[in-house]
Amino acid sequence: MIALKRHSIDLYRELAKDDDFPFYYHITGGMRTAYTQDQVDIYKYHIGMAKGMGVEMEFIDAQEVHKRHPLMMPDGMLGAWWDPLDGYIDPSGITMALARAAKKAGADIYRFNPVENITRKANGEFIVHTKNGDITCEKVVNATGYRVNEVGNMLGVTHPVTSMEHMYFLTDTMPELEALDYQVPVVRDPFDDFYSRQEKNGLLVGVYEQACKTFGMDGIDPNFTKDLCPSDLDRCLPNMEGIFERMPALQNAGIHTVVNGPITYTIDGLPLVGQIPGIENAYCNIGLRAGIGEGGGHGKVLAEIIVHGESEWDAWCLDPRRFTQYANTEHTCVKAIEDYRNEFHYHMPHEHRPGSRLARTTPLYPVLDQANAIWGVVNGWERVLCFKPDDQPDFVDEHSFRFTPTKDIVANEIKTLTTNVGLMEVSGFNRYEIRGEGAGAFLDYLVCGKIPTVIGRVSLCYLLNEKGHVLAEATIAKLGDDHYWYGSAAAAEWHDLDWLNRYKPESVSITEMAASHTILVVAGPKARALLQSLSPRSDWSKEAFPWMRVKQMMLAHAEVTAMSVSFSGEHAYELHVPNEQLYLTWKLLNEAGEQFNLSHFGLYATESMRLEKGYRHWKADLIYEHNPMESTIDRFVNLDKPDFVGKAALLKEIERGPKKLFVSMIVDCDIAPAHAGDSLYSGDDLIGTVTSGGYGHRVEKNIAMGFVNPEFADIGTKLEVEILGERYAVEVCEPGLYDPTMALVRA
């Protein structure tokens, strides 16, 4: 998102150089004020991340805030995040500048010509029916702001976008501003939820009120084009009292204009930029609540996706496929209201806000909830993060960039698991059944390495895009002749299905199973003994059921598809259970587990353990900006295969050599883990970026993963990482700190 904004700034500055058609673009600098240590931490995190992209920002103290903006009182303030290139722009001026540049590049622009419908021809072309005639095109983009779902309905889709009414007011001329020889900077303030910038010699002040209001939920008047909503400053009064105390000069300023208009929001506050799920050659650029500030970057991303199939940057955070079937209009509306109320309050690590929860649950949700589970959300699914201790029923999982008391709870979950046996539900795991004539050849062409060729085998596989870069990670199990299960991250549900359907032959069928089955993970040294105790007529021994195998097994009278795989690095099994028998299987395991000191664990524990093993996380450590050699998963690449998607491009990149290399690192920091985006240094040279980090409780190390320049990838290399504004020592280490010989998972 920083890159989007910076690209937009560079684009607008270039367009503003046109002497024949100048427009007003004023850089004043901008600040986000901080009143809590958490806000200071998140600002310093972003400042450090920006350095990794060549963008210089800084954190300033409260007195400096007042110095740079004399109307802002520093009482109770800890400081602010300062962006020297922030400012404001004439919206109509930049719109016309962009239009002129588009025309020079060959575009035709039709104004005052409303779209009435969109249909599709048998050859796949679209017909855009407008008031003044039809336009036939190969590709269509929905970039229609608050009318997004009117156009979406023409294409047969409902986008997860809701509009909110948003108000700002303009003051009369203020003598305090007239007395200055510069324009005051832009302000964004999370204490009273407002922003402000100078407008001539007055102020523009916008409010994000708690008593907010949606727009257009029951339809939008066709004549609502340049109109505004009725002003309603009364609902902003609780905010305005604080705003007037923060900037006392406003108390003597008259308000001459109130503007109230629609602004669009998505479920997570980030826009939807890319292909519309399920509609080939249809794209969207919607939900742009920060339309001007990041709009140039959005255009760049979308243009690259349309022309090349992907952006220069792995733009998953903008991908429309990150929301799936649960994202209905009502769900989106609740999340939009929640996000509007938290406009200047960034998500903290592991924070899962309460709006529109329970969208997707398994039959075990009430059972685990009664067991004092702390919940998070993955692709709409409720998933256990950890469990409150029995003696602390009121325990709260604090959200911070620093280590919190939850660290001790996670440590205990891992300790009990590694001593005896642990049980975890993995809800929403993405799963497809792929079968039919040619299914094996189809998958083999998509995978850059080996797929299982023997019935009962399981393989970890990687799929590349046409550029030879890492696109997806999947566990593929062969259940029969031309019969496979494909499993991947819950968030990859529509992403992977889109890719599979792109290459799927007609003879092959793909059946989604994420909602029909749930995984129970049984892990620890007593895992086999527990399962065997429930299976008198099944054999769970190493000889009968070795590592990386799949079998249909009975647990008492429950039938499960069991895989001897492990994401924790412990001896473990995944039990893929039909949801109608999920509670039965859970009950059987818990009752039998009493004699084995069975305990429960959650996602936090799994995350810690996978870092110790050097296992990757999709869209954190595995992104399409890097090829598998750079991602150091080359052992999963078989260049002897006649062909696979991306092979030709990969061979060229291998010949070129790596631009970056993926490494694991030990961080010498006791107060916080490294976070994705933290910058890595060798001396004063920026040489890499962290992709994920956390504490490894079994090895008692603070661990990070990331990409570095190749010359710094050797084991033992000393580096530094910037965490919350401070430098800490880092050493490149072996990727599998825990059980490096894999003795436990093979046990």
Side-chain angles (χ1 to χ4, degrees), residues 447-584:
V447 170
C448 65
K450 297 178 180 178
I451 67 167
T453 56
V454 176
I455 294 173
R457 294 270 186 169
V458 180
S459 297
L460 181 62
C461 302
Y462 292 90
L463 289 71
L464 310 183
N465 59 21
E466 287 93 343
K467 292 185 177 181
H469 292 184
V470 179
L471 185 73
E473 177 187 62
T475 300
I476 298 179
K478 185 166 185 176
L479 303 183
D481 292 331
D482 279 328
H483 182 196
Y484 298 85
W485 271 12
Y486 174 110
S488 60
E493 183 177 3
W494 280 8
H495 173 279
D496 287 11
L497 184 61
D498 176 56
W499 190 253
L500 293 170
N501 281 331
R502 185 178 302 187
Y503 290 93
K504 181 185 75 65
E506 291 186 4
S507 59
V508 172
S509 65
I510 300 177
T511 304
E512 297 183 59
M513 300 175 66
S516 64
H517 288 63
T518 299
I519 295 175
L520 297 178
V521 173
V522 182
K526 297 180 182 178
R528 177 181 287 124
L530 168 58
L531 295 168
Q532 188 64 66
S533 72
L534 287 165
S535 304
R537 296 201 302 131
S538 299
D539 188 351
W540 293 82
S541 67
K542 180 178 180 179
E543 293 71 27
F545 198 169
W547 185 47
M548 299 300 285
R549 299 295 195 276
V550 57
K551 282 189 173 187
Q552 293 297 120
M553 302 292 276
M554 298 301 298
L555 295 175
H557 59 293
E559 185 173 3
V560 303
T561 302
M563 296 186 191
S564 54
V565 298
S566 173
F567 197 57
S568 64
E570 300 293 331
H571 181 56
Y573 300 86
E574 287 183 359
L575 309 178
H576 298 250
V577 187
N579 279 342
E580 64 264 26
Q581 291 197 329
L582 184 61
Y583 175 68
L584 166 65

Side-chain angles (χ1 to χ4, degrees), residues 62 147 154-155 186 212 265 292 297 366 378 453 480 521 584 643 692 728:
R147 294 191 179 272
M154 298 175 190
L155 292 166
V186 178
C212 53
Y265 278 77
I292 294 178
V378 182
T453 56
V521 173
L584 166 65
D643 199 13
S692 58
Y728 295 91

Side-chain angles (χ1 to χ4, degrees), residues 610-611 614-617 620-623 626-633 658-665 689-692 704-710 712-715 732-733 735:
R610 72 97 181 169
L611 287 168
Y615 296 158
R616 317 300 165 80
H617 196 295
D621 313 303
L622 298 168
I623 58 176
H626 302 288
N627 65 49
M629 284 28 185
E630 293 170 328
S631 302
T632 62
I633 51 173
K659 292 182 178 179
K660 295 282 186 179
L661 284 174
F662 188 80
V663 296
S664 292
M665 298 163 282
T689 304
V690 171
T691 56
S692 58
M705 293 176 169
F707 285 93
V708 299
N709 294 345
F712 299 99
D714 293 338
I715 305 300
V732 177
C733 66

